[in-house]
């Protein structure tokens, strides 16, 4: 799983964190975002989000690509953990990039 993350302060006490994940096994990408009230909270939520996106790759792919007509399920699934689908097409050029090793079975 390859990930790019970008954060931007959008109000005095709010930060928007955008994540674009590329899953090489199925050759597809997913863009999500979340809001956080502080930098520390954003970093904690980023860690939790990456873990969630890695653990649920198969379910997200199934409902997001294989069953694309029912994308509402993926949106609801992400919303339950505080993330939203990011429908913006452009991603910030100054984004941190990292590669996460696959989970061992």
């Amino acid at each position: 799983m390859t990930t790019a993350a970008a954060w931007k302060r959008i109000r005095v006490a709010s930060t928007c964190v955008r994540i674009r994940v590329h899953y090489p096994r199925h050759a597809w990408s997913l863009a999500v975002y979340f809001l956080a009230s502080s930098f520390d909270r954003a970093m904690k939520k980023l860690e939790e989000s990456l873990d969630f996106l890695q653990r649920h790759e198969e379910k997200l792919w199934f409902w997001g690509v294989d069953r694309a007509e029912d994308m509402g399920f993926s949106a609801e699934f992400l919303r339950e953990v505080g993330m939203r689908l990011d429908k913006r097409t452009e991603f910030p050029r100054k984004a941190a990039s990292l590669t996460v090793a696959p989970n061992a079975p």
Side-chain angles (χ1 to χ4, degrees), residues 23-93:
Y23 296 102
R25 185 167 53 176
H26 294 296
W28 76 288
S29 296
L30 177 66
V32 297
Y33 73 94
F34 63 86
L35 301 176
S37 58
S38 68
F39 180 79
D40 290 339
R41 178 69 185 125
M43 293 306 290
K44 181 174 177 22
K45 181 69 177 172
L46 178 61
E47 183 180 340
E48 293 168 357
S49 297
L50 293 176
D51 181 57
F52 175 85
L53 293 167
Q54 185 176 25
R55 283 185 290 117
H56 297 287
E57 174 184 356
E58 289 297 320
K59 187 182 285 188
L60 290 165
W61 175 81
F62 179 77
W63 289 104
V65 175
D66 196 40
R67 305 277 179 146
E69 67 275 359
D70 193 15
M71 195 61 172
F73 178 84
S74 287
E76 184 62 33
F77 186 55
L78 291 167
R79 207 171 297 123
E80 289 175 7
V81 293
M83 290 185 280
R84 303 214 186 268
L85 288 173
D86 190 353
K87 297 178 182 173
R88 294 171 277 195
T89 56
E90 292 201 17
F91 199 76
R93 293 181 185 172

